[in-house]
Amino acid sequence: GVAAPAAASALTTITISGATASYPLVSLLAQKYIKTFPKKVKFKITQGGAQIGVNDVAAGRVTIGDVSRDPLAADPAGLVFYPIAKYGICVITNKSNPVPNLTQAQVISIFTGKTRAWTGLPGATASGTIDVISRTSVAGVLTNFQTLLLEGKKVSTKAAEEPSEGLMRQKVESDPNSIGFVSNYQSDKGTVNAVGLNGIACNKSTVQGGSYSGTARFYEVTKGKATGAASAFIGWIEKAAAAKKIISTQWLPI
């Protein structure tokens, strides 16, 4: 007799959930991995926020958690964080309000709710109340934004919240009085105004060159040390030239 070909469902499935900020990068890496190693694995990647990825991988619901923030003391025990790339966190405004630069003190004052109006801010063409847009509490970019750009202070509870990077960008695109923050991947699309920080622009070039201070890391996270298909995929991200090439398009290799 002739053996039937293996069904596609027999492939090992790597399930991933977590950060919306790293989703574009991890999706590109997964696509390249499948092309490089055909008929070995398939991926199921979902979003939801960095904390969702942490919770899912700790509970065994996924193979890998995508996380856009550094490990926290409150994270479940036994998780292993593998850094895969660096990215910049950019403050953004509507294109009609092309604020060129803010000092860190100004960013803190705006996002904590002390500065409420655009009037008097250098370069601002908007008038009236500043509409602060933030991310939901599960977002790793929010955690890093508060740590790196707000000196550990919290975004005002009066800020509107968006559940994803894409929705944050779209909200700022549609609101002339808004201000928010996204990864440089989103701000580099050119549909919003990326605000410089302390005289340094926030874009792919300054993040990769190391001059922009608001730079954070993406992680792949496993429950215990990575094994099997997860270990192979993460190891490929860490070492393969093809993976480094993808990372270098919009992000910074570790």
Side-chain angles (χ1 to χ4, degrees):
V2 179
S9 59
L11 295 174
T12 298
T13 300
I14 298 177
T15 53
I16 303 174
S17 72
T20 68
S22 60
Y23 176 80
L25 171 58
V26 175
S27 296
L28 289 172
L29 291 170
Q31 292 167 18
K32 183 64 176 179
Y33 191 75
I34 289 173
K35 290 180 180 179
T36 304
F37 305 101
K39 300 181 181 180
K40 285 195 173 184
V41 299
K42 60 181 180 179
F43 291 86
K44 181 180 180 181
I45 308 175
T46 58
Q47 303 177 65
Q51 193 59 45
I52 300 299
V54 166
N55 294 344
D56 282 350
V57 76
R61 291 187 288 266
V62 297
T63 316
I64 297 172
D66 276 345
V67 179
S68 53
R69 60 156 173 82
D70 291 338
L72 300 176
D75 287 335
L79 298 182
V80 179
F81 284 66
Y82 296 91
I84 63 166
K86 293 181 181 179
Y87 69 99
I89 302 174
C90 302
V91 173
I92 57 172
T93 59
N94 187 275
K95 292 279 281 187
S96 68
N97 183 31
V99 178
N101 180 75
L102 290 170
T103 66
Q104 188 164 11
Q106 288 170 327
V107 171
I108 293 171
S109 186
I110 291 169
F111 281 91
T112 58
K114 292 181 180 179
T115 297
R116 301 294 302 277
W118 284 111
T119 304
L121 286 171
T125 57
S127 59
T129 303
I130 299 173
D131 296 335
V132 177
I133 316 297
S134 185
R135 292 289 308 283
T136 53
S137 61
V138 297
V141 174
L142 170 61
T143 300
N144 280 336
F145 175 71
Q146 292 177 151
T147 300
L148 296 172
L149 276 71
L150 301 189
E151 296 181 345
K153 297 177 177 64
K154 302 292 186 182
V155 173
S156 171
T157 56
K158 295 180 180 180
E161 294 182 348
E162 294 294 340
S164 74
E165 283 258 299
L167 290 174
M168 164 77 87
R169 176 174 51 79
Q170 291 172 26
K171 181 66 175 178
V172 175
E173 287 174 357
S174 65
D175 182 355
N177 277 17
S178 64
I179 191 168
F181 55 90
V182 293
S183 68
N184 68 280
Y185 171 81
Q186 293 288 344
S187 64
D188 283 347
K189 290 179 180 292
T191 59
V192 292
N193 172 64
V195 182
L197 178 66
N198 295 327
I200 304 296
C202 182
N203 54 41
K204 170 188 170 184
S205 177
T206 59
V207 170
Q208 292 186 334
S211 60
Y212 185 73
S213 60
T215 302
R217 293 186 177 195
F218 290 142
Y219 295 86
E220 297 293 82
V221 180
T222 57
K223 187 177 183 180
K225 186 177 180 181
T227 61
S231 177
F233 178 54
I234 293 171
W236 176 81
I237 294 173
E238 292 175 331
K239 299 175 183 178
K244 300 293 186 187
K245 184 177 180 180
I246 291 171
I247 294 169
S248 296
T249 59
Q250 292 290 342
W251 304 274
L252 180 67
I254 298 296

